[in-house]
Amino acid sequence: MYLDIYVVPVKRENKEKYIEFALFAADIIKQHGALSVKEAWEDDVPDGELTSIPMAVKKEDDEAVVVGSIEWTSKDIRDKGWEKIMSDEALSSKDMPFDGKRMIFGGFSNIVDA
């Protein structure tokens, strides 16, 4: 298994727009090989003094943090999927209801599945 993990700040007033966008994007991502897409809206995300999730995305007072994951069968499938996703016109024509410049993301190889 291979995971893409991401964290993004979203204006609280855009929560419904974000959910709509996330559902639309999830459908496209799954069409290109992902097994699942999960997104979660912050509920108990404390500010830190040295480092924290809100600090990592430079969260502003009117924003919430969303964390998400995309599950793939392998890195190879993920890499091929992302090539197709990035060139998918349906997704590129959609306005993103968040600041993509402050999104943090990365790919991870699974080490524990308990």
Side-chain angles (χ1 to χ4, degrees), residues 60-77:
E60 298 173 1
D61 290 340
D62 62 341
E63 293 176 326
V65 175
V66 172
V67 64
S69 67
I70 304 170
E71 184 178 355
W72 306 87
T73 55
S74 69
K75 185 178 187 307
D76 184 55
I77 297 294

Side-chain angles (χ1 to χ4, degrees), residues 4 7 13 22 31 41-42 48 51-52 58 62 69 74 77 81 90 96 110:
D4 280 317
V7 182
E13 67 187 38
Q31 287 175 26
W41 190 266
E42 78 170 35
T51 188
S52 68
K58 298 183 180 180
D62 62 341
S69 67
S74 69
I77 297 294
M96 295 187 303
N110 193 47

Side-chain angles (χ1 to χ4, degrees), residues 20-70:
E20 180 182 318
F21 175 83
L23 289 167
F24 176 80
D27 186 49
I28 291 172
I29 292 166
K30 288 171 69 177
Q31 287 175 26
H32 295 299
L35 298 173
S36 69
V37 178
K38 297 180 183 348
E39 305 246 7
W41 190 266
E42 78 170 35
D43 181 47
D44 184 14
V45 183
D47 290 325
E49 290 183 31
L50 182 59
T51 188
S52 68
I53 293 171
M55 290 171 72
V57 295
K58 298 183 180 180
K59 182 184 136 191
E60 298 173 1
D61 290 340
D62 62 341
E63 293 176 326
V65 175
V66 172
V67 64
S69 67
I70 304 170

Side-chain angles (χ1 to χ4, degrees), residues 4-8 78 82 100-108:
D4 280 317
I5 303 293
Y6 48 96
V7 182
V8 62
R78 176 262 204 167
W82 274 114
K101 293 177 184 174
R102 291 185 289 139
M103 174 186 256
I104 58 175
F105 56 89
F108 296 84

